[in-house]
Amino acid sequence: EIFAISIDENKNAWKKAIAADNIKWIQVNVAGGWQAPIARKWGIDQIPTSFLLDKDGSVVAIDPSEEKLISLLKKLLK
């Protein structure tokens, strides 16, 4: 499952980007920008930032390349 959390402060621009990019996965917007609790908790210092979690919720990779992501998904989904 892909779950995207946005810290965008301009919700209209965020919604337009979702539509323009034809994003179909779950999207939520959290108020607070860079100081949003979720951004601080996860140590977000750039956007986009991607986390791959395993079935137990442990972080497997942060910002993996496409090649690394494919490799990890194959391993995790066996």
Side-chain angles (χ1 to χ4, degrees):
E1 184 72 43
I2 298 174
F3 182 80
I5 302 171
S6 169
I7 57 171
D8 288 296
E9 295 187 58
N10 183 331
K11 285 189 180 183
N12 288 330
W14 166 67
K15 289 177 183 179
K16 286 180 183 177
I18 291 169
D21 292 342
N22 199 28
I23 296 173
K24 300 295 184 193
W25 53 84
I26 299 167
Q27 296 278 323
V28 297
N29 183 276
V30 178
W34 293 105
Q35 298 307 312
I38 193 81
R40 297 186 69 173
K41 180 177 181 174
W42 285 82
I44 306 297
D45 60 6
Q46 67 180 19
I47 50 176
T49 297
S50 302
F51 295 91
L52 178 62
L53 307 178
D54 66 13
K55 65 181 178 179
D56 299 317
S58 298
V59 176
V60 175
I62 300 172
D63 292 328
S65 65
E66 181 179 357
E67 181 179 305
K68 183 69 173 177
L69 179 61
I70 291 168
S71 172
L72 288 167
L73 287 172
K74 285 179 181 178
K75 178 181 170 186
L76 291 169
L77 296 174
K78 275 189 171 184

